[in-house]
Amino acid sequence: MNARTFRRVALNTAGIGVFVVSVFPVLWMISTAFKPNQEIFSSTPHPLPAHPTWQHFAFVLNGGVAGVSFWDYFANSAIVAVSTVAISGLLALLAATAVARFRFRFRTTFLVMLLVVQMVPAEALVIPLFIDLKHLAMLNSLAGLVAVYVGFALPFSIWMLRGFVAAVPRELEEAAAIDGAGPVRTFFRVLLPLVAPGLVATSIFSFITAWNELIFAYTFLKDQDKATLPIMLQFFFARSGNDWGPIMAASTLLTLPVIAFFLTVQRRMVSGLVAGAVKG
Amino acid sequence: MLDTAHVVRRVPGRKSSGPARSGRRRPRLGPYLLILPSLVIISVLLLWPVLQIGQMSFQKVGVRQLRGEPAENVGLANYRQILGDGFFWTTFRHTILFAVVAVTATLLAGTLVGLLLSALGKRMSAFVAGGVLIAWATPPVTAAIIFAWLFGTTGGLVGWLLDLLPDWLAGSGWQDYNWFATPLPTYTVLTICVVWMSFPFVAVSVLAGLRTVPGELYEAARVDGSTAWQRFWKITFPLLRPVFGVLLVLSVIWDFRVFTQLFIISGLANRDSFNLSLYGYSEAFGSLNARYGLGSAIAVVLTLIVLAVTAVYTRMIIRQEGVA
C-alpha cells in the first residue's frame, strides 16, 4: 500500500468516524422509540429493535402526555413558527432593502445597533419581557410569544439579508425603472425573486428559532392547550424521567420535521450561507 | 436564544457593495419608512427590556409589582447580596469553566472536521457533511434528552459500554452510576452534548472559508517542502483569521449563557449544578417568592461578562463589514 492510498484510507476512516459520531445519538433516539420496554431496559442494549413496535408513538399521539393530543402541541408550534417566519421575513426584507440601497442618517447607528443587540444574552431578557407581557395581558398567548420570537429573529435576519440585497445589480432595477416600472413593481418583480435564496436561508433560521425555543415558551405559556412541542417534551421528561420509549417517540416527532427541513434545503442553505456571509 | 439561528450573522469577509452610488438619490422618507417597523419591534422587545433589566437590578421587584405596585429602589443591595454570596461564586465558576472547556473543544473539533471535509473526495465529503448537518439540526431540547438517556442508569448505553471495558481501566459499576447527582459529571455530559451540537457549525464555516483560499498557495508551499502543520499555521490560519474570530465570539456567547440543555438534564431542583443563567432564572421564576430584582442583577452580571469578552471582536466585525 503506497503512501497515497494509505492517506486516502485514513481520511475516509476518519470521515466515517465523524459521520457515526454525528448521527448516532439521533439514530439511538429513533431506535429506542421503536423498541418494546423489555428491550429498552435490557442489560445488553442492541443498536436496532428486535421486535419493532408502534406502541410508544401511539401513546404520544393519542394524548398520553398530559391528556392533550400531540397534534394540538404540533399545531401550536406550527402556528408560532410559521407566523415568526412570515412576519420577520417581510420586515427584515424591507429593512435590509433600506440599509443596502439607501444612504440615510442614522444608517450606521442602526447597523451597529443590530450587531450589539445580538450580543445580549436572550435568557437575560426573560424577566423584563415576562413582566411587560403580564402588564399587557399577553402572557398566556401565542401572539405574545410570536412577538418575542420576531424580535429575536429580526436583527439577524436584517443583517444577513442586507448582503443578498446588496448583491443584486442596481442596473436591473434601473432597467426596470426605465421600462416604466414603479418602485413597488420593481421590488416585487426584480428584487424579490433575486433575493429569494437569501429569504430561504433566513427563514430556516427563524423557523428553527421559533420551533426549538423552550425557555420563553415555558415561562410565558401556562395552559397545557397553549403549549408548544418543546414544552410538552420537557414536561413529559421531567414528570416521567425513565419512561424512555414514549419520551424518545415524542423527541423523534419533534426532531424529524426539523431534520427533514434542514436536509431538503441544505444545498441552498449552505450556498446562501456562503454567498451571504463568508465571502462575496 | 437563536441557537443555530445566529450562526452566520457575523461571519465577516464580505465587503458590502452597499449604497455605492446612492449619493445620487435624494434622501427621502423611503428608507425611514422601510426600517420603521423593524426599529419599533427591536426597540420594544430588545432595547427597552435591556434598560428595564438594568433598572430592575437596582430595585426590589416581586409578585406585588406584577400587579402594578411601584418597585422600591434599593441601590446596590442586589449586587451586594449576590457578590457576597458564596453560591453566586460557585455558579460563576461553573459558567466560566464550562465556557472555557466547551469553546476550546468545539473550535478544535469543528476545525478538524472542517479540514477533514475539505480533504475528502467530493462524494465522501458530501456524505459526511450530511451526517454533520443532522447533529446541527437536532433541537437543543431533544439533544439534551437524548444525552440524558445515553448516560441514564437503567439501560443507558454509556454505562454499559464503560462496564464492558476492563475494570483496571474504567472501574466498574457504571450501569448504576448517576451522572446527574453532582456538578462534575453533570457538566461532563453537558459539555459532550453541547460540543456535539455546536461543532457542525464551526466545521461548515471553516469549510466555506477554506473554499475561498486559492489552491495555488498550498501547491507552492508543498513544492517548497512544507508539512501539513506548517501549511495550516502559515496559510490557512492567517487567511481564515476573521472566520475564526467570529466563530470564537459566537461560541463564547452561546456557551456562556447555555441554558436549555442544563435546564433539561439537571433542572431547577438541582441547585448544586447551577450556572449563572439558571441561577438568575431560578431567583425570578423558581419559587413562589419571585425575586425579579435579584434575578435581573445576575442577568446583568452575565451580560456584562459576555459583552466584555466579545467587545474586541465586535469592533473588529464592525470595521471589517464596513458598516461605518
Side-chain angles (χ1 to χ4, degrees):
Chain A
M1 195 154 68
N2 62 27
R4 178 168 278 191
T5 333
F6 176 76
R7 185 183 126 91
R8 183 104 108 327
V9 171
L11 283 175
N12 283 344
T13 313
I16 289 169
V18 170
F19 182 86
V20 169
V21 168
S22 308
V23 172
F24 180 77
V26 174
L27 287 185
W28 190 245
M29 165 185 80
I30 299 171
S31 154
T32 306
F34 283 106
K35 282 181 184 172
N37 276 334
Q38 68 265 31
E39 283 183 49
I40 293 177
F41 297 109
S42 149
S43 52
T44 46
H46 288 282
L48 292 174
H51 307 282
T53 166
W54 287 101
Q55 67 181 80
H56 303 309
F57 285 99
F59 178 80
V60 171
L61 290 173
N62 295 333
V65 184
V68 179
S69 157
F70 171 85
W71 298 110
D72 289 353
Y73 297 109
F74 186 89
N76 290 338
S77 270
I79 291 169
V80 169
V82 170
S83 315
T84 305
V85 168
I87 299 172
S88 64
L90 177 68
L91 298 185
L93 185 57
L94 296 179
T97 309
V99 291
R101 280 290 186 252
F102 298 93
R103 183 169 285 282
F104 52 95
R105 281 188 72 187
F106 305 118
R107 176 179 169 274
T108 310
T109 322
F110 182 65
L111 284 172
V112 172
M113 187 270 289
L114 290 182
L115 194 61
V116 174
V117 103
Q118 292 178 73
M119 296 287 176
V120 177
E123 287 79 10
L125 301 184
V126 72
I127 299 174
L129 286 171
F130 174 82
I131 292 176
D132 292 342
L133 288 181
K134 171 99 183 164
H135 285 152
L136 294 170
M138 281 174 76
L139 202 49
N140 206 0
S141 80
L142 295 183
L145 199 62
V146 169
V148 171
Y149 291 167
V150 168
F152 285 115
L154 262 183
F156 157 73
S157 303
I158 301 173
W159 191 263
M160 188 157 165
L161 272 178
R162 183 177 77 104
F164 285 95
V165 177
V168 175
R170 191 181 289 274
E171 287 73 16
L172 288 178
E173 285 165 52
E174 285 168 355
I178 291 170
D179 290 346
V184 175
R185 197 169 160 163
T186 311
F187 179 82
F188 281 105
R189 286 303 184 76
V190 179
L191 196 58
L192 194 59
L194 287 169
V195 297
L199 266 177
V200 170
T202 47
S203 302
I204 293 165
F205 289 120
S206 36
F207 177 85
I208 286 170
T209 303
W211 183 265
N212 289 356
E213 205 282 328
L214 172 70
I215 303 120
F216 285 85
Y218 174 82
T219 313
F220 295 168
L221 304 174
K222 281 300 159 221
D223 296 342
Q224 278 296 334
D225 65 335
K226 296 259 174 53
T228 53
L229 281 175
I231 306 183
M232 177 271 253
L233 198 54
Q234 189 277 338
F235 174 77
F236 190 26
F237 176 65
R239 199 192 55 178
S240 50
N242 266 333
D243 206 356
W244 292 113
I247 291 174
M248 288 298 133
S251 302
T252 306
L253 291 169
L254 171 76
T255 309
L256 284 187
V258 187
I259 291 185
F261 196 35
F262 237 83
L263 290 181
T264 2
V265 288
Q266 63 148 313
R267 181 168 300 239
R268 225 190 274 204
M269 186 184 61
V270 173
S271 67
L273 199 146
V274 177
V278 178
K279 185 77 184 176
Chain B
M1 177 205 114
L2 290 164
D3 290 332
T4 52
H6 13 222
V7 156
V8 250
R9 66 188 180 217
R10 256 168 271 111
V11 182
R14 178 181 194 85
K15 275 265 180 274
S16 157
S17 63
R21 279 169 288 153
S22 48
R24 287 186 308 173
R25 298 202 180 186
R26 272 169 290 131
R28 282 172 302 180
L29 218 51
Y32 297 103
L33 287 178
L34 290 175
I35 64 166
L36 187 67
S38 299
L39 194 60
V40 169
I41 289 184
I42 292 172
S43 306
V44 172
L45 289 160
L46 294 173
L47 297 178
W48 173 241
V50 168
L51 296 178
Q52 277 183 304
I53 206 162
Q55 189 194 21
M56 280 195 298
S57 71
F58 296 107
Q59 290 175 334
K60 191 173 189 308
V61 189
V63 183
R64 286 187 186 165
Q65 278 65 44
L66 287 184
R67 292 196 291 265
E69 285 186 32
E72 177 196 345
N73 281 314
V74 292
L76 289 169
N78 289 328
Y79 289 100
R80 227 175 267 134
Q81 186 179 339
I82 55 172
L83 295 179
D85 183 356
F87 185 65
F88 169 81
W89 293 106
T90 307
T91 63
F92 185 83
R93 203 174 60 236
H94 289 162
T95 308
I96 305 274
L97 281 177
F98 169 76
V100 170
V101 175
V103 168
T104 314
T106 306
L107 290 181
L108 211 62
T111 307
L112 286 175
V113 173
L115 291 169
L116 177 68
L117 286 174
S118 81
L120 287 171
K122 207 172 176 189
R123 289 169 84 180
M124 189 64 184
S125 175
F127 172 73
V128 177
V132 166
L133 269 174
I134 288 181
W136 186 6
T138 305
V141 180
T142 325
I145 291 181
I146 297 174
F147 278 86
W149 164 222
L150 285 170
F151 285 84
T153 40
T154 349
L157 194 68
V158 174
W160 178 74
L161 279 173
L162 285 172
D163 271 350
L164 283 187
L165 294 171
D167 282 359
W168 56 265
L169 187 66
S172 62
W174 286 105
Q175 277 189 300
D176 301 317
Y177 182 73
N178 182 356
W179 287 84
F180 306 105
T182 51
L184 188 62
T186 305
Y187 276 89
T188 308
V189 179
L190 181 70
T191 308
I192 296 172
C193 174
V194 167
V195 172
W196 176 76
M197 293 188 57
S198 359
F199 88 86
F201 171 60
V202 177
V204 172
S205 305
V206 168
L207 178 65
L210 284 172
R211 296 228 167 108
T212 67
V213 178
E216 295 84 18
L217 287 178
Y218 293 109
E219 268 163 47
R222 212 171 279 136
V223 169
D224 291 345
S226 63
T227 62
W229 180 257
Q230 284 171 326
R231 286 197 293 275
F232 177 80
W233 287 109
K234 294 278 159 82
I235 302 175
T236 313
F237 187 75
L239 283 174
L240 296 191
R241 190 187 290 272
V243 176
F244 283 116
V246 171
L247 292 173
L248 177 68
V249 177
L250 291 176
S251 305
V252 164
I253 295 176
W254 293 333
D255 290 349
F256 259 104
R257 66 195 217 196
V258 61
F259 185 102
T260 304
Q261 293 93 330
L262 187 61
F263 179 75
I264 295 277
I265 66 171
S266 178
L268 287 181
N270 207 347
R271 283 178 70 84
D272 288 346
S273 297
F274 275 6
N275 65 2
L276 277 176
S277 11
L278 223 56
Y279 181 34
Y281 185 88
S282 157
E283 288 300 317
F285 302 105
S287 67
L288 289 177
N289 175 26
R291 288 182 289 191
Y292 300 116
L294 209 63
S296 300
I298 297 166
V300 168
V301 172
L302 177 68
T303 308
L304 289 179
I305 298 174
V306 172
L307 286 180
V309 176
T310 53
V312 182
Y313 288 94
T314 315
R315 279 188 52 198
M316 181 187 84
I317 293 159
I318 291 176
R319 274 206 306 267
Q320 276 173 354
E321 286 274 351
V323 166

